Amino acid sequence: MTPATLFSLAGRRALVTGAAGGIGASVVQMLRSEGARVAVADRDVSGVAAEAHLPGDLRDPAYADALPHAAAQALGRLDIVINNAGVITRGKVTETSDDDWNLSLGVNVEAPFRVSRAAIPILAETGGGAIVNVSSCWGLRPGPGHAVYCMTKAAIASLTQCMGMDHAHQGIRINAVAPNEVNTPMLRTGFAKRGFDPDTAVAELGKTVPLGRIAEPEDIADVILFLASDAARYLCGSVVEVNGGKAVG
């Protein structure tokens, strides 16, 4: 295969969760630019250009369970699943409410579990495919003040590694990307809620990164597309850190 062919996704059908967010929107745009047809899932996907729109709440088990089948029906088949949806809950365990716990577990762990469980038989029927989950560097090496967030991202990293081994024989490659801080609306909103100016906070945070800036959504989306493409044909059960050289802490 030539490099252009390796990275091409022409003819592929993809499902992206959290498609309206910073990383998700970039992933959708890049998938479509590489020739894929895309079904998008989020609470509101009205502003996302895609071939199929499947709005809903991933905390609803029935919605999450049915999502891969709905995407396959809308697109004609399903080849790629990107479990991108996620939330950040900040605080120590003693500062974490039941609502924080339920939200974090529901979106960050239960939803990708349900979507993957439903998608794997669909992918296997047509000879395989790729699932890419979004973990975090904070799940691999936890930092302070984010107890439940770190736990959920560690869970999705572990789940990725287990599924990668369990379903490789079906031609399904399951990998994850693990970013550090990313310049997304969710990060900026978090700064604003804590009384910081988002632009100043992002610039200051960038000074702590060896590459000189925190990641942009496109930096993460590029790696997700790589993992979904034939260029990553021998990666299975991997968790790829994308952190600009910055350790958590």
Side-chain angles (χ1 to χ4, degrees):
M1 291 184 180
T2 64
T5 304
L6 281 173
F7 287 97
S8 172
L9 297 172
R12 307 286 175 88
R13 309 296 202 268
L15 167 64
V16 180
T17 70
I23 295 173
S26 292
V27 169
V28 171
Q29 184 179 18
M30 291 183 182
L31 283 168
R32 298 181 78 227
S33 71
E34 291 296 331
R37 292 172 55 82
V38 183
V40 292
D42 211 318
R43 287 173 295 179
D44 181 2
V45 290
S46 57
V48 183
E51 284 67 36
H53 295 80
L54 304 170
D57 187 346
L58 280 167
R59 292 174 295 177
D60 176 0
Y63 171 73
D65 287 341
L67 197 51
H69 179 69
Q73 274 198 318
L75 299 174
R77 61 180 283 152
L78 188 61
D79 307 292
I80 298 166
V81 175
I82 312 296
N83 283 309
N84 166 71
V87 296
I88 297 177
T89 298
R90 296 176 177 85
K92 303 173 185 177
V93 165
T94 50
E95 300 163 349
T96 302
S97 68
D98 285 355
D99 287 343
D100 292 336
W101 170 267
N102 291 331
L103 174 64
S104 296
L105 268 289
V107 176
N108 292 359
V109 180
E110 185 173 348
F113 160 74
R114 288 184 177 276
V115 170
S116 296
R117 183 177 65 178
I120 287 167
I122 296 172
L123 298 176
E125 283 180 7
T126 53
I131 297 175
V132 184
N133 298 318
V134 177
S135 179
S136 170
C137 291
W138 287 69
L140 305 179
R141 286 179 299 281
H146 292 71
V148 173
Y149 176 73
C150 292
M151 183 200 73
T152 61
K153 290 303 184 179
I156 203 63
S158 182
L159 181 64
T160 296
Q161 292 167 326
C162 291
M163 292 193 301
M165 292 185 285
D166 289 342
H167 300 285
H169 71 281
Q170 295 169 286
I172 303 171
R173 295 184 302 100
I174 303 175
N175 297 289
V177 61
N180 206 321
E181 294 101 346
V182 185
N183 187 15
T184 62
M186 183 165 63
L187 181 78
R188 287 177 164 273
T189 299
F191 280 133
K193 285 181 177 178
R194 287 176 283 162
F196 300 110
D197 173 69
D199 287 339
T200 302
V202 167
E204 288 300 312
L205 198 55
K207 295 177 182 178
T208 68
V209 182
L211 278 181
R213 62 176 178 84
I214 66 171
E216 294 297 326
E218 295 79 10
D219 296 320
I220 311 305
D222 278 340
V223 180
I224 291 173
L225 258 67
F226 162 69
L227 292 173
S229 76
D230 291 339
R233 62 195 176 276
Y234 204 65
L235 268 70
C236 194
S238 297
V239 180
V240 180
E241 292 189 63
V242 188
N243 59 16
K246 179 184 176 181
V248 173

